[in-house]
Amino acid sequence: MKTKLFALALATGLFLNSCSSSDNPTPTTPTPATGEISGTITANKTYAYGNYTLKGIVKINAGVTVTFDAGSTITIDKATGDNALVVLKGGKLITNGTADKPVVFTEKSKLPGSWGGIIVYGDAPVKVAGGGTSGTSEDGNKIAYGGAVANDNSGSLVYTRVEYAGSKLADGDKENNGFTFYSVGSGTVLDHLVSYKGADDGYEFFGGTVSLTNSISYGNYDDSFDWQDGWQGQTNTNWYAYQTGKGNYGMEIEASLNDNAFGPKVSNITLRRAAGNVPEVGDNQVDAFQFKREGNGEYSNIIIDGYGNFTNAAGTVYTGSAVSILDAATNDHQVKTSKIKLLNVKITNTTNVLPIGATSAIVVAFPTGTFVQSATATGASLTGGAWATVDGVDLTK
């Protein structure tokens, strides 16, 4: 009887082992898709994992959703002319990147200022100069922006990197940014994004209510983070900026000359300037935070490092500061009324630790409790990985 049971067990084991080896074959890596992306996209489209080229100013129409699968790389060539990816109001862009398989938009030459980056238009409120509720974009598209849907949804950009952006498009007024958001609403997800070595700002908001989380601005020529037109995102956190080689303000904050009752909120911020970094045009743009044109907001748990003086070729010394207030209106209406708050701030390697005015006529004195230094601030907390690694360099370190 024991012999029969042993034989039965042996036979069963062999059968199970046979099933296991045949039912669980070694996984294979899918072959990347290829193709060109151009023109206006007028119907829903999903780009499977692959390597694509983007040519021209590609626009996603209203009512259309475009999706990129994880691990996809989209390459642009500045030799083809003006290039950008534009999400029009009512359209949606979804990038389904992951920490180890980000969606990457890059440019063939690897030179800053080689394309227009990602530009998104939403339908959320704005407040432009003069108090108006709409404006015309300065990106070369000259599109009207501004709406009334605070929770408007323009899609979901997750674990996505934009490299070498910052070119002008057509007869645009300014260079474009890595990511540009015109009146984008809070229903839009912006998470784990990288703007890498562009020729203008890393991120710029023109009004809207969208928030940005877990973001990196690395090596961009102008400001790491910039906004105007009454941007009021409320749940922003984990912003990391590293300015190296060439770069202006860590954060340029303005409200288009409107004394707003509202402002944005950002927590867990790290602003770092590398040794030897110079402002873009050799001037006085050497501060970590710059507030102007009635800019305000609440900022907490902040690391500021490396904003020392800059001396240009003519020997003029520009003083680096943790916080600079550019104009009297911002000082009178925002600083003095506690509409600007910088809390739990740790400052190192910076010439002016206390906030200053851009001129001696602007005497800055933050009310008690609105500018608070701390030795225990930790700044942004980000986990590295493929999403934040370029040419073998971990951008989070």
Side-chain angles (χ1 to χ4, degrees), residues 20-343:
S20 176
S21 61
S22 62
D23 291 349
N24 296 281
T26 302
T28 58
T29 302
T31 301
T34 59
E36 180 180 284
I37 305 169
S38 60
T40 299
I41 303 175
T42 59
N44 292 349
K45 173 70 175 178
T46 295
Y47 290 95
Y49 160 69
N51 299 313
Y52 301 94
T53 59
L54 185 147
K55 184 177 181 180
I57 301 176
V58 176
K59 295 180 179 179
I60 300 173
N61 262 2
V64 174
T65 299
V66 171
T67 303
F68 287 94
D69 283 350
S72 295
T73 298
I74 301 89
T75 302
I76 298 92
D77 185 351
K78 68 176 183 177
T80 63
D82 287 346
N83 302 283
L85 179 57
V86 180
V87 184
L88 299 175
K89 184 170 72 173
K92 290 183 180 179
L93 174 62
I94 297 175
T95 54
N96 286 323
T98 63
D100 59 341
K101 294 179 180 179
V103 175
V104 179
F105 294 81
T106 190
E107 198 278 329
K108 186 177 179 181
S109 72
K110 295 190 174 184
L111 295 174
S114 293
W115 70 296
I118 294 178
I119 304 168
V120 183
Y121 289 86
D123 197 27
V126 304
K127 196 171 181 181
V128 302
T133 57
S134 66
T136 301
S137 66
E138 61 182 34
D139 59 351
N141 290 302
K142 297 190 182 302
I143 295 173
Y145 64 94
V149 185
N151 65 345
D152 188 49
N153 182 353
S154 296
S156 174
L157 279 63
V158 178
Y159 286 107
T160 299
R161 190 166 69 243
V162 167
E163 302 176 349
Y164 313 113
S167 71
K168 286 187 177 182
L169 301 179
D171 59 349
D173 299 321
K174 295 183 178 180
E175 294 90 350
N176 287 286
N177 314 289
F179 295 89
T180 307
F181 304 107
Y182 286 98
S183 56
V184 175
S186 61
T188 308
V189 175
L190 306 176
D191 182 60
H192 284 93
L193 305 184
V194 178
S195 181
Y196 180 81
K197 291 192 175 181
D200 203 70
D201 302 322
Y203 305 83
E204 186 162 10
F205 300 88
F206 293 84
T209 54
V210 70
S211 293
L212 171 66
T213 57
N214 303 306
S215 63
I216 298 173
S217 180
Y218 191 101
N220 292 293
Y221 283 2
D222 197 355
D223 312 310
S224 297
F225 302 93
D226 188 356
W227 59 87
Q228 56 191 288
D229 295 343
W231 175 63
Q232 52 185 310
Q234 296 295 296
T235 57
N236 305 279
T237 191
N238 284 330
W239 287 13
Y240 178 84
Y242 186 68
Q243 296 174 288
T244 178
K246 185 185 296 186
N248 295 328
Y249 302 115
M251 294 170 67
E252 185 175 41
I253 300 163
E254 66 159 288
S256 306
L257 287 174
N258 293 299
D259 182 8
N260 297 322
F262 57 82
K265 292 183 179 180
V266 188
S267 65
N268 306 335
I269 303 164
T270 297
L271 304 178
R272 293 180 58 208
R273 181 186 290 272
N277 184 89
V278 300
E280 187 176 14
V281 292
D283 60 7
N284 62 344
Q285 300 182 77
V286 290
D287 307 308
F289 281 85
Q290 190 232 44
F291 293 88
K292 67 179 181 180
R293 294 167 59 87
E294 308 276 17
N296 63 15
E298 181 177 315
Y299 311 88
S300 59
N301 189 24
I302 305 163
I303 296 289
I304 294 173
D305 181 71
Y307 290 84
N309 293 351
F310 166 69
T311 304
N312 69 10
T316 303
V317 178
Y318 296 107
T319 305
S321 304
V323 181
S324 177
I325 308 300
L326 190 65
D327 54 77
T330 302
N331 192 38
D332 291 341
H333 303 156
Q334 309 303 322
V335 174
K336 293 179 181 179
T337 61
S338 301
K339 291 181 183 177
I340 298 176
K341 295 181 180 180
L342 296 111
L343 310 174

